[in-house]
Every structure is written in structure tokens, then in C-alpha cells.
């Protein structure tokens, strides 16, 4: 979890760079959009892990969100909320990153094993200064991902623990029966070893993970990665990478550690205001100028991914090292009346559009971006779900992830878009974003985002190498820029059938409503 920014580009700069990385020739001055879908030029596979989630010990992200305990009156499966489990299974969450974030580099795994009643109670110094009773530890986390059908992505403590602690934790989780730590795991209720496909070597080592220089962080990365040895097959080791435009960090880590790692993380949060972190802007009731700035800042993800990937290409031209965007999403001021350390914020149509923009960007960079994790899963920042006691609501962001399920492990198809501008004050952006895939069953899907909150935009797509006789789809949009779901009105924003598209003579035609995310399925 980012506590400070590195070289975040300003809104004025975004306004002078169309689409923050989009070429001028890809913007059409007219109020229409055109595109060509190249079905005969298949690209890389978009790993399902790109649709990963982040669950940190922060606010009610874990306690009350995922975990309520076996004795709770809230319906649960051995302590896990049933409504949360069922909702996350429905969007096929592929991987869950845990336990942090900044929390990870103060977390000692032994505090979260053994009988729950005997686990130490500590203070969560990063998030709200509240008690952490460690009721949700390794066994509970692994039980959660197993119930989801997801993979484990564990963040190791590099900031405040020696490499032996990471090595022992990995042994506890993955060692076959026979070792002392394997016997301890069995005594804790899980005789079989866990599969841990991914381990993070620290978190934000440039910041809350230790305030380190890149060279020192690279040395530690090499050391910790060496001693973390899985007993259940290959475990990809993800180095603590840069935030935002910190390209020097990427260059140093790749130069000094590139041969010892399997992935490099990237963190970037979208904020409406380009000021200090204490003044980010409200989640609801915002002016259109902050809608525009949010879109502009969100589109900077394309620039950051492009430039970090280019640096990685210098040291890894075969693209063996994954770029892992394991913290992304919107970050607003805390909801009024909430604990400011809990990072509670509402989730609106604006967040849905941001999610669509980022998922399209990741699709365009599927050759390098192989895993990601939106921050966060429940009740924190750009969450999938919000809970309040026994109540639960699905957010607009949740529904966008539902729309994009066909993108998991699908083959990306290039799509070239010429878009009209969206103008607001000094900000000028291409209004239309798109991506397309051929799923594992062979069906073609097209995702379209109209970030203009005011105009419906006609769009025609030439289908090259794609034969289609009909089209169906769904749309997520709302009546206002901050339309959202509440516990009183849980279905104010949800997908509905989109009937405004048709195919004729090799051309897909539609008109995209304002501030909308549309996914079309070609038959």
C-alpha cells in the first residue's frame, strides 16, 4: 500500500499528452469513433491472474469483510462470510495477495499460527492504530483461497524480519510431511502442504517496507529470494518494484536482480487531485473537473506500464520476468465519519469506468503484464464488495470484473481505435477505450469504455478476420457520475442487457452511452 508517491505526473502534463500515452493520430475530432478489430492477428494470452485481488489487514478488509469467525451470527463457512465467498467465486477471482501492503513488512507469520485464542494481540501501526488479534493467519488465508478456487500470493516480510523467517514460513506452508515445520502445520489443521505459486519479496521497499535505496533493496531481494524454497513445485518470486514513474528503481532492480526474480511489482493509484496525499478528493459529490482529472490520471497507467516495460526489455528481452501491477485502483479521501486509517470509500460509476480503462490497458500489455491485484477486495479503497454487519453490496467495480470474465486466459486481439475528444477545462482525452479477445472456447468479445460523462458516441468497428452474424452484450452505467450502490439501494448500478449493437457486412456498429462500460459478445 503506497504511503507516498514517486514522481507522479501532474494534470497539466496529462492534458498536453492526448490520452496520456495515446498518439495524436488516434484521436478523431468528430463526434464519432471508428476502429478495426484484427481477428487474424492474435496477440498474447491475457493471464487470468491479471484479475487478481488484494486483501490487506486494513480496516474491515479482513475482519468483518472476509472473516467473521465460526461463532458469528452472520452466515459463514467455518468463519468465512458466505455472501462474500459466493460473490467472489462468481467473478472467478484467480489470485489473492496477502497479508499486505505496508502491513506485510511488520507481519511475523508465527503470530498467526497455532490456536487462535493463544495468538498475540498487536497494534496495527500502519492502519488506524487498532488491535490486531491475528485470528486470520496463514491457515485461515489458505482456507480462503482454497474455498475461492484461487491461487495464493504471499507477501514476505523483508522490512523487519530476517531471511530465515521467510524461509521458515515457506517451509511451514509448503514442506511435505516429515519436517518439524510440516508437523506443526499438521497440528494446526492442515497435514497436506499448501501450494504457494507466488511470493512477494517485500512490499514497497522504497517506502513503508524500509525506506531503502534501490541498490540495497536489490541486494536484499537477491538474498531473500535465494533462501525462500518451496517444497511443492515452482514458486515465482516477485520483487518489490517501483511506484508510478520511478523508472530508476526499475532499472536498478532489473540490472542487479533481474536474473534472480520471476516478477517485478508496480504500484499506481488513481487520485482526482494532483496534490498531497491528504487531499485526494471525495468519492461522491465531486464536480466534473474531478471526473476528468480522475480519467486523465487513470490513463497514465498506460504510460507507466509502457516505460517500465521498455526498461525491463533491456535486461529481459525474452520477457521472462512478469510485470505485476499488484496495487492499482482509485484512492479518495476517507468516507466522512470513518476511521481515516481504514481507507473506507464509496464506489461509483466513475470507479467502474476506471476499472474498464485499466483492464483494457493491461490487455494491450499482455505480453509483459502477467498478474495484477486491484486494491482492494472488500471494504477498502476500490473494493469489489462493501459490508456492514450482516449486509453486503456489490459495487460497480465488481460488475465490471463480472463483464470481463471472458478475458481470463483469453487471446488478445489487436483493436485500433480512432476516438473523438472528451474536453473539460484544460483536460483533453480520447473518449473511447477498447480491448478485444478470443476466449478459450473460440468466441470473440469486445470491451468498450466511453469515459465522456455527457455524450453518447457512435462507433463502427471493421471486423478483420472475424466472422460474426449477431451480437449481444451487457452494459454498466448510471444516471449520474457518482451513481453507486448502497445498502438501501443495492442494485442502483448493475449490468443490464445492451441491445444497441448490430453486425452487418463485416462491420460492428453501436452507439456507446455516456460514462459506460460495454462488453459485446460476437456470435
Amino acid at each position: 500500500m503506497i504511503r507516498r508517491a514517486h514522481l507522479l505526473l501532474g494534470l497539466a502534463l496529462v492534458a498536453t499528452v492526448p490520452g496520456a500515452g495515446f498518439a495524436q493520430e488516434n484521436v478523431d475530432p468528430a463526434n464519432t469513433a471508428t476502429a478495426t478489430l484484427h481477428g487474424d492477428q492474435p496477440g498474447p494470452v491475457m493471464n487470468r491472474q491479471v484479475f487478481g485481488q488484494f486483501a490487506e489487514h486494513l480496516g474491515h478488509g479482513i475482519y468483518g469483510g472476509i472473516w467473521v469467525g465460526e461463532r458469528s451470527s452472520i452466515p459463514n463457512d467455518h468463519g468465512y462470510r458466505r455472501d462474500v465467498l459466493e460473490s467472489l467465486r462468481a467473478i472467478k477471482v484467480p489470485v489473492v495477495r496477502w497479508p499486505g501492503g505496508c502491513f506485510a513488512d511488520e507481519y511475523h507469520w508465527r503470530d498467526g499460527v497455532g490456536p487462535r485464542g493463544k495468538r498475540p494481540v498487536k497494534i496495527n501501526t500502519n492502519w488506524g492504530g487498532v488491535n490486531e488479534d491475528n485470528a486470520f493467519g496463514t491457515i485461515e488465508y489458505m482456507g480462503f483461497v482454497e474455498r475461492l478456487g484461487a491461487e495464493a500470493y504471499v507477501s514476505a516480510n523483508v522490512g523487519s524480519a530476517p531471511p530465515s523467517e521467510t524461509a521458515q514460513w515457506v517451509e511451514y506452508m509448503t514442506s511435505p510431511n516429515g519436517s518439524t515445520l510440516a508437523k506443526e502445520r499438521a497440528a494446526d489443521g492442515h497435514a497436506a502442504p499448501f501450494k504457494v505459486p507466488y511470493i512477494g519479496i517485500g512490499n514497497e521497499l522504497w517506502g513503508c517496507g524500509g525506506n531503502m535505496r534501490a541498490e540495497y533493496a536489490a541486494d536484499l531481494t537477491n538474498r531473500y529470494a535465494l533462501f525462500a524454497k518451496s517444497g511443492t513445485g515452482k514458486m515465482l518470486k516477485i520483487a518489490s518494484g517501483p511506484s508510478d514513474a520511478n523508472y530508476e528503481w526499475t532499472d536498478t532492480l532489473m540490472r542487479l536482480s533481474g536474473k534472480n526474480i520471476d516478477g517485478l511489482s508496480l504500484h499506481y493509484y488513481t487520485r482526482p487531485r494532483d496534490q498531497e496525499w491528504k487531499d485526494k478528493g471525495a468519492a461522491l459529490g465531486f464536480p466534473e473537473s474531478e471526473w476528468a482529472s480522475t480519467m486523465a490520471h487513470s490513463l497514465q497507467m498506460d504510460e507507466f506500464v509502457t516505460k517500465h516495460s521498455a526498461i525491463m526489455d533491456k535486461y529481459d528481452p525474452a520477457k521472462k520476468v512478469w510485470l505485476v501491477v499488484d496495487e492499482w485502483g482509485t484512492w479518495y479521501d476517507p468516507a466522512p465519519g470513518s476511521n481515516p486509517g481504514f481507507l473506507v470509500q464509496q464506489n461509483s460509476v466513475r470507479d467502474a469506468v476506471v476499472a474498464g480503462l485499466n483492464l483494457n490497458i493491461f490487455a494491450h500489455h499482455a505480453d509483459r503484464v502477467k498478474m495484477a491485484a486491484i486494491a482492494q477486495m472488500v471494504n477498502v479503497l476500490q473494493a469489489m464488495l462493501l459490508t456492514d454487519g450482516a449486509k453486503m453490496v456489490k459495487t460497480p467495480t465488481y460488475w465490471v470484473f463480472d463483464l470481463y470474465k471472458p478475458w481470463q486466459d483469453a487471446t488478445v486481439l489487436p483493436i485500433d481505435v480512432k476516438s473523438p475528444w472528451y474536453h473539460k477545462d484544460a483536460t483533453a482525452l480520447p473518449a473511447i477505450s477498447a480491448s478485444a479477445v478470443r476466449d478459450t472456447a473460440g468466441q470473440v468479445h469486445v470491451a468498450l469504455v466511453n469515459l465522456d460523462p455527457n455524450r453518447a458516441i457512435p462507433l463502427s468497428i471493421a471486423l478483420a478476420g472475424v466472422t460474426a452474424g449477431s451480437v449481444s452484450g451487457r452494459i454498466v452505467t448510471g444516471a449520474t457520475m457518482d451513481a453507486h450502490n448502497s445498502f438501501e439501494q443495492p442494485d442502483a448500478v448493475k449490468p443490464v442487457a445492451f441491445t444497441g449493437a448490430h453486425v452487418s457486412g463485416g462491420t460492428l456498429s453501436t452507439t456507446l452511452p455516456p460514462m459506460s462500460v460495454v462488453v459485446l459478445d460476437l456470435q
Side-chain angles (χ1 to χ4, degrees):
M1 180 65 63
I2 290 177
R3 298 294 290 272
R4 60 187 175 91
H6 279 278
L7 302 177
L8 182 62
L9 299 181
L11 176 58
L13 176 59
V14 177
T16 63
V17 181
F22 291 86
Q24 176 76 40
E25 60 268 20
N26 290 334
V27 180
D28 190 327
N31 188 33
T32 59
T34 59
T36 300
L37 171 59
H38 300 280
D40 52 352
Q41 300 176 23
V45 168
M46 187 170 183
N47 283 2
R48 67 185 186 280
Q49 290 87 349
V50 171
F51 294 84
Q53 313 278 318
F54 181 28
E56 183 170 5
H57 286 245
L58 196 172
H60 295 296
I62 300 289
Y63 302 111
I66 292 170
W67 177 262
V68 293
E70 296 95 327
R71 297 180 181 179
S72 174
S73 61
I74 298 172
N76 66 86
D77 175 3
H78 294 83
Y80 308 95
R81 290 186 65 127
R82 288 190 184 276
D83 52 0
V84 168
L85 278 175
E86 291 169 0
S87 297
L88 295 174
R89 284 195 200 107
I91 57 171
K92 300 181 179 180
V93 174
V95 60
V96 180
R97 181 175 180 247
W98 172 87
C102 292
F103 183 85
D105 279 292
E106 293 187 14
Y107 181 70
H108 299 281
W109 70 272
R110 281 205 164 276
D111 294 343
V113 298
R116 289 193 202 106
K118 296 182 178 180
R119 296 178 187 177
V121 177
K122 299 205 172 175
I123 303 298
N124 190 332
T125 60
N126 283 293
W127 305 118
V130 296
N131 286 351
E132 166 60 62
D133 66 6
N134 287 294
F136 192 92
T138 301
I139 296 292
E140 290 77 19
Y141 162 69
M142 290 296 182
F144 178 59
V145 295
E146 286 180 346
R147 283 168 172 79
L148 285 182
E151 294 180 311
Y153 178 13
V154 174
S155 296
N157 183 345
V158 170
S160 65
S164 59
E165 186 169 315
T166 295
Q168 290 166 4
W169 192 14
V170 173
E171 182 181 350
Y172 172 89
M173 292 185 287
T174 68
S175 176
N177 294 336
S179 75
T180 298
L181 286 171
K183 292 177 180 178
E184 182 179 353
R185 182 190 66 237
D188 289 340
H190 205 282
F194 294 112
K195 292 182 180 180
V196 183
Y198 317 104
I199 187 165
I201 307 300
N203 168 78
E204 295 185 358
L205 297 183
W206 41 262
C208 65
N211 287 326
M212 301 176 189
R213 295 178 300 111
E215 292 82 2
Y216 181 64
D219 289 342
L220 287 185
T221 297
N222 296 338
R223 185 182 179 198
Y224 280 68
L226 175 65
F227 293 107
K229 300 175 182 178
S230 173
T232 54
K234 185 170 178 57
M235 180 175 64
L236 301 188
K237 299 169 184 180
I238 314 299
S240 174
S243 71
D244 309 352
N246 191 352
Y247 304 118
E248 181 181 355
W249 186 278
T250 295
D251 193 280
T252 301
L253 265 290
M254 288 300 298
R255 174 169 52 86
L256 299 179
S257 302
K259 294 182 179 179
N260 299 318
I261 60 176
D262 303 290
L264 184 72
S265 71
L266 170 64
H267 291 180
Y268 175 56
Y269 287 93
T270 295
R271 297 174 295 143
R273 298 177 186 168
D274 197 37
Q275 301 165 355
E276 295 298 324
W277 280 86
K278 64 183 179 182
D279 183 22
K280 296 176 285 292
L284 300 177
F286 50 86
E288 187 181 341
S289 60
E290 292 191 3
W291 169 283
S293 62
T294 300
M295 298 303 134
H297 290 151
S298 191
L299 287 171
Q300 284 185 272
M301 178 69 82
D302 184 74
E303 176 182 333
F304 296 146
V305 170
T306 297
K307 292 184 176 180
H308 286 295
S309 295
I311 295 169
M312 296 175 74
D313 287 347
K314 287 198 308 181
Y315 302 99
D316 174 38
K319 300 184 185 295
K320 294 180 180 179
V321 179
W322 291 8
L323 183 57
V324 178
V325 190
D326 57 19
E327 288 189 31
W328 68 274
T330 53
W331 194 329
Y332 309 123
D333 292 335
S338 67
N339 183 325
F342 283 9
L343 306 187
V344 178
Q345 64 185 44
Q346 249 296 355
N347 192 296
S348 72
V349 166
R350 177 172 61 167
D351 300 279
V353 172
V354 166
L357 292 176
N358 279 276
L359 293 175
N360 287 347
I361 290 169
F362 297 155
H364 299 157
H365 294 277
D367 60 335
R368 181 65 83 174
V369 176
K370 297 295 185 180
M371 186 159 69
I374 191 170
Q376 290 192 13
M377 181 173 264
V378 187
N379 288 331
V380 179
L381 297 179
Q382 192 173 350
M384 300 288 114
L385 306 169
L386 302 175
T387 67
D388 181 10
K391 295 180 287 188
M392 187 206 75
V393 64
K394 299 171 182 176
T395 69
T397 297
Y398 173 93
W399 289 119
V400 170
F401 272 65
D402 186 63
L403 291 185
Y404 277 75
K405 283 187 296 186
W407 271 247
Q408 295 193 24
D409 287 337
T411 299
V412 175
L413 303 178
I415 183 168
D416 303 322
V417 179
K418 288 190 176 182
S419 169
W421 291 102
Y422 162 58
H423 292 274
K424 179 60 182 176
D425 301 330
T427 302
L429 304 168
I432 304 300
S433 166
S435 67
V437 295
R438 191 184 302 275
D439 68 20
T440 54
Q443 186 175 11
V444 173
H445 308 266
V446 181
L448 302 166
V449 178
N450 179 5
L451 61 77
D452 191 319
N454 304 310
R455 292 184 301 165
I457 297 179
L459 168 67
S460 62
I461 304 175
L463 303 177
V466 174
T467 301
S470 62
V471 58
S472 59
R474 293 190 295 163
I475 181 173
V476 171
T477 187
T480 61
M481 293 185 295
D482 65 349
H484 60 280
N485 295 330
S486 64
F487 298 110
E488 296 74 29
Q489 294 182 303
D491 296 322
V493 179
K494 65 178 183 179
V496 296
F498 183 72
T499 58
H502 65 276
V503 176
S504 178
T507 299
L508 170 62
S509 301
T510 186
T511 296
L512 298 176
M515 51 188 177
S516 64
V517 181
V518 174
V519 167
L520 300 176
D521 311 313
L522 304 184
Q523 291 93 23

